[in-house]
Amino acid sequence: MASYQKRGKTWTARISYTDQMTGDRKYQTKSGFLRKNQAEEWAISIEQTKFNESIGKATTKETFADYFERWFTTYKLPHVEEQTINHYRYTHGIIKGYFKELRLNLVTREYYQTFLNDFGKTHAIASSRKVAMEIRSCVRDAVTDGAIARDFTRRVVVTGHEATDESLKYLDGDDMHKLIDDLSATIDARRSSRAMALLALYTGARFGEIAGLTWDNVDEENGTIDIKRAWNTLDNDGFKSTKNKQSVRNITVNHEVFDFLRQLQRSQDSLDRDNPFNLVFLGQGITPPSSTAANNMLKRTLEHIGAKHITFHGLRHTHASYLIYKGLTLYYVSERLGHANFNVTLRVYSHMIHEMKDEQNKKLLSVLDGFRG
């Protein structure tokens, strides 16, 4: 591990390493470099020398793809959300497809940069950055573990094109109304993923939050749905905490929501099924429908009504975008969605601000015209 510090007009580099014989932490420092990159080059050469002296050049026979899979299974799988796990698996597939059987210790910085360049030709820059971030985390741990001598992700350039327009991620008002009409036409406990989608449109809640709703969370007297926890969709074996503390919230809903939930409860009661978790939405057994089942249902329904395809998470975007378009403040929408902070809402829905600029300019002119009474 190297650190750098500028002292006056020169740079000082300091490296630390573990003596493999004694286990002691050791340090080596050199000053007087006119430029930081000179200090970095010195540190890399010393780290390589110390690595070779202590344990020899890395000779792992493990492929890059196999090491990444073992790494994320050990260090990430037990601790992160299902959506994050799915992305690590996606990144593993990308690595396996591009690097194939190439051994981890044979991946060079140049080869890795070529991969980033090729990946960026067909992916948005945000997607490229996320893949690169996960790979870099893995490679840094590989250096720490002694599996490889150098971090080949250092000082590379992540490439990619601009992201797809945010409007593709949610439905416009007309398609939203069509979807609500279609979903509302059949409220049946045997097809509860349809009711889940309907509630997502009315509340903007996350899939896991909806899957984890119990009947005591439905507070018709106060006109709210209480989000207190989520369902563990990864293991499908019970409840878990919400994404963040701000996600514990009361969502105000209208009478139509309680109307279709009462229909769902009557249908559920008529089936006389076991419901040990007291869940609002049941799948084939005693647990909620899976996200895969819900997304498949949504895809079929959108095709049926002639609307563009969005994911179940896109229903959350649809809800939020519609509220913003109708004039509700970003602060209110942020609290309703359970975002960790307002900046998340501002970043995700900044496109709505740009779309409403003309309307806001008209309001501004009206306000300015009234300055003189």
Side-chain angles (χ1 to χ4, degrees), residues 62-78 85 88-96 101 104 134-135 138-139:
E62 201 166 19
T63 67
F64 183 15
D66 286 347
Y67 183 90
F68 184 89
E69 182 179 31
R70 182 165 61 85
W71 169 79
F72 91 76
T73 300
T74 303
Y75 295 103
K76 300 299 180 181
L77 188 62
I85 287 297
Y88 275 111
R89 287 177 174 146
Y90 166 76
T91 300
H92 173 250
I94 294 297
I95 294 171
K96 192 171 183 179
E101 298 301 313
L104 175 64
E134 292 173 355
I135 290 177
C138 170
V139 171

Side-chain angles (χ1 to χ4, degrees), residues 44-331:
I44 291 172
S45 67
I46 296 299
E47 286 177 331
Q48 179 67 66
T49 300
K50 295 302 179 185
F51 185 90
N52 291 338
E53 288 175 352
S54 58
I55 60 175
K57 185 168 180 61
T59 57
T60 177
K61 294 183 179 180
E62 201 166 19
T63 67
F64 183 15
D66 286 347
Y67 183 90
F68 184 89
E69 182 179 31
R70 182 165 61 85
W71 169 79
F72 91 76
T73 300
T74 303
Y75 295 103
K76 300 299 180 181
L77 188 62
H79 311 295
V80 296
E81 299 289 329
E82 180 184 18
Q83 185 176 355
T84 306
I85 287 297
N86 288 337
H87 199 277
Y88 275 111
R89 287 177 174 146
Y90 166 76
T91 300
H92 173 250
I94 294 297
I95 294 171
K96 192 171 183 179
Y98 193 92
F99 294 89
K100 300 184 176 10
E101 298 301 313
L102 184 63
R103 280 166 34 185
L104 175 64
N105 66 315
L106 297 181
V107 180
T108 64
R109 179 168 165 265
E110 181 180 3
Y111 193 89
Y112 180 62
Q113 182 65 68
T114 302
F115 157 72
L116 291 177
N117 295 343
D118 291 342
F119 189 79
K121 292 175 183 177
T122 56
H123 292 81
I125 186 66
S127 178
S128 296
R129 285 171 179 159
K130 190 162 187 178
V131 168
M133 178 188 68
E134 292 173 355
I135 290 177
R136 186 175 188 184
S137 180
C138 170
V139 171
R140 284 181 167 181
D141 282 355
V143 173
T144 300
D145 291 343
I148 54 175
R150 291 190 182 185
D151 177 0
F152 57 77
T153 68
R154 234 176 137 260
R155 298 179 68 181
V156 294
V157 179
V158 180
T159 63
H161 56 74
E162 289 302 315
T164 304
D165 194 319
E166 286 288 329
S167 65
L168 298 178
K169 296 182 179 179
Y170 66 93
L171 300 176
D172 60 27
D174 288 342
D175 283 343
M176 182 189 74
H177 294 315
K178 289 179 184 177
L179 180 58
I180 289 175
D181 288 343
D182 190 280
L183 295 173
S184 300
T186 307
I187 303 297
D188 188 335
R190 290 167 295 190
R191 305 173 68 189
S192 59
S193 60
R194 291 173 59 84
M196 293 177 76
L198 193 56
L199 189 64
L201 285 169
Y202 275 102
T203 64
R206 302 175 179 92
F207 178 82
E209 295 170 344
I210 293 174
L213 284 177
T214 53
W215 284 112
D216 55 296
N217 297 143
V218 179
D219 189 354
E220 187 168 3
E221 182 178 349
N222 292 305
T224 61
I225 301 293
D226 299 331
I227 305 292
K228 297 181 178 179
R229 53 194 174 182
W231 185 258
N232 182 1
T233 55
L234 182 61
D235 297 322
N236 196 32
D237 60 357
F239 300 102
K240 65 174 184 177
S241 300
T242 55
K243 187 171 184 179
N244 53 64
K245 64 180 181 180
Q246 287 78 16
S247 295
V248 177
R249 62 203 189 277
N250 300 108
I251 300 177
T252 300
V253 293
N254 59 358
H255 67 88
E256 282 146 357
V257 171
F258 296 112
D259 287 345
F260 80 73
L261 286 178
R262 281 196 300 271
Q263 291 180 54
L264 181 67
Q265 190 171 38
R266 288 195 295 269
S267 175
Q268 193 180 97
D269 290 343
S270 69
L271 297 176
D272 194 26
R273 296 171 56 186
D274 290 337
N275 189 4
F277 295 106
N278 195 31
L279 293 170
V280 174
F281 304 102
L282 283 174
Q284 296 300 314
I286 62 172
T287 59
S290 67
S291 59
T292 299
N295 274 293
N296 288 340
M297 175 281 302
L298 181 60
K299 182 180 180 180
R300 292 192 300 270
T301 306
L302 291 172
E303 288 175 352
H304 174 69
I305 65 174
K308 67 183 179 185
H309 175 255
I310 62 170
T311 64
F312 196 97
H313 195 74
L315 301 176
R316 176 172 164 87
H317 289 314
T318 300
H319 175 83
S321 298
Y322 189 76
L323 295 188
I324 295 169
Y325 178 75
K326 288 297 184 179
L328 278 77
T329 68
L330 277 175
Y331 284 103

